[in-house]
Amino acid sequence: MSRFVSLKASSRLLNRRATALTTASIMRRMASSYPTSHAKIENPGKTQGYVNNQYVDSGASKWIDLHDPATNNLVTRVPQSTPQELTAAVDAAEEAFKTFKNSSILSRQQIAFNFVKLIRENWDRLAASITLEQGKTLPDAKGDVLRGLQVAEAACNVTQDLSGQFLEVSKDMETKMYREPLGVVAAICPFNFPAMIPLWSIPLSIVTGNTLVLKPSERDPGAAMILADLARQAGAPPGVINIVHGQAPTVDFILDEPRIKAISFVGSDKAGKYIHQRGTANGKRVQANLGAKNHAILLPDANKNASLNAIVGAAFGAAGQRCMALSALVTVGETKSWVQEIVERAKKLKVSGGFEEGTDVGPVISPESKQRIYDIIDSAEKEGATIALDGRSYTAEGYPNGNFVGPTVITGVKPGMRCYDEEIFGPVLVVLEEENLDDAIALINRNKYGNGSAIFTNSGATGYKFQKEIEAGQVGINVPIPVPLPMFSFTGNKGSFLGDLNFYGKAGIHFLTQYKTVTTHWRSEDAVATKASVNMPTHN
Ligand code: NAD
């Protein structure tokens, strides 16, 4: 199997040279050349940092091996950036801010326009990087890029989104209120959306005039590395977008570095609670999107065929590794008898390497994650649930060493069981039964998470009741994964979010900017005041 595809005849020579280079360096440099299979990489390279618009080698003493989840072959080594490298990234961002904050909004909007175009041109390359490092199927990886691209597109509307307020508050006296960038901001990203989640920060940071230090997940930084260089090509000046790498030491550096004003975190509860607590204690703004357990209610009046397809797709797509994966199904009344059809449809999904044509479900991120999912399925059995479809011990043909878990359906689940109480983050659907809508809504509202929730019904009135009573922050009515497009914000709530201002949309712009008010008084008469007033100004 060939590892690279060449789109242009003229790039053939380059491609031949490329096979002698590292995958990481190739994926960075050539929009027309990227991996197309899970073939073993002969000389896996090291991932570099990105500072001042340049890729920089790391002098790290600690390296994190990154394996292709489909094969567990080594893809690259990711550095634990050294303290000097981390400081250099913030130095670059701080220096860049001095001039970037004064750049015109139209020039920043132009960068966003160019960035959108470049992401489109590099779409396949970005997706290939994601499939190789993260494991999701190539079409799904393209969707990962698209959902991030849409944030970049929405960021182009900054001239509207940043417009302020103005009022003549008294004769010849005007107050204007507008928003200014914060300075150096940081983003700490999870593994499951290697392009989309960095793109929740990069374009908005640029258009608002901030400078960014971004830490991708150490498990799949390739897409973020490509995006940083696309931002350079789009016109972002040196120091505006910087990438650092690593685990807790990098995060602690970001949390304690006084020049970083705000942190956007997306990831698990454990890391997010810690980051929110320590970041806010250090006086920073923190927005933290956390874990989830997303429920769907299946009502007897629903369109059965469409609902079952939607449930299967949303439960097992991306191998269940979406924060908005539909992981808990609540059947109401007779729809419990429909679950067998969900099992039959789930059995038909093809589980294989993400580059393979027709694959529906790729591997999970790591052997540890696979083992944890197995353990949770084991626990469900022990706690009295039924494994209606068992994805344990699943081997994908041609991929004996991959982290594959087959689609799994667990029925007879109750709150208090580990498989319900914990986010599984794998291709596992747990099914609970209720006899009526009120009890189903009450069950969901008792759950600590509030990322998303869906209902399948053909009644508008029922959908409206659900919308009003459900406590989750993103609601779908016949929509299984109700993540809004970025002219809105990502509005998870309860245990799925810490902070005050959500990601992207108007809230995202607010998070990255602060208000300033200016009151001016230019007297229209040529007055020469001779006596000072010492009273509190009342603007009369
Ligand atoms: P994770 O918390 O393990 O990692 C996220 C980031 O935090 C990474 O950059 C990682 O290096 C860092 N990190 C991890 N442990 C840390 C620690 N102890 N101290 C400091 N930093 C630490 O999350 P993940 O496994 O990469 O991602 C999956 C999780 O993210 C799931 O829980 C999923 O629901 C959640 N997620 C939420 C959303 C959302 O919008 N709500 C979106 C995507 C993912």
Side-chain angles (χ1 to χ4, degrees), residues 255-256 274-286:
L255 291 171
D256 295 341
Y274 168 73
I275 287 166
H276 184 263
Q277 195 174 32
R278 188 156 159 180
T280 52
N282 282 336
K284 300 179 198 306
R285 286 187 185 183
V286 181

Side-chain angles (χ1 to χ4, degrees), residues 47 74 106 139 160 226 236 239 245 280 306 450 455-456 480 490 493 503 539:
T47 293
L74 187 65
L106 289 186
Q160 287 299 310
I226 296 170
H245 297 290
T280 52
I455 191 165
F456 293 95
F490 189 105
N493 67 16
F503 280 80
H539 301 169

